[in-house]
Amino acid sequence: MSDHVYKHLELTGSSAVSSDHAIAVAISKAAQSLRNIHWFRVTETRGVVDKGKITHWQVTITIGFTLED
């Protein structure tokens, strides 16, 4: 494995579908302008509850991507 330098970036994705979908939304959007995304870590999960049901998710993640030479 060669040596890498990673940059970390914090993002918050949101979704009315699920927490997993909120993560996918954030990564998909980031991938439109960033290259070399290699990993993510969930740092916070929040949700909105209405009449006893979850109606919306917000998930904050840290993504890591390698810097180019």
Side-chain angles (χ1 to χ4, degrees):
M1 179 173 170
S2 55
D3 297 332
H4 295 289
V5 173
Y6 290 93
K7 173 74 175 166
H8 298 193
L9 182 65
E10 187 176 77
L11 307 168
T12 300
S14 65
S15 171
V17 177
S18 69
S19 59
D20 286 349
H21 188 250
I23 293 166
V25 166
I27 292 173
S28 176
K29 185 66 173 179
Q32 291 177 10
S33 60
L34 297 173
R35 295 184 300 277
N36 305 319
I37 298 172
H38 288 283
W39 56 266
F40 73 93
R41 175 181 62 233
V42 174
T43 57
E44 184 178 12
T45 304
R46 296 180 301 278
V48 176
V49 177
D50 185 25
K51 298 177 185 168
K53 293 191 178 193
I54 299 169
T55 59
H56 208 85
W57 295 89
Q58 288 185 328
V59 180
T60 300
I61 62 172
T62 301
I63 60 169
F65 56 97
T66 54
L67 298 177
E68 296 178 346
D69 293 333

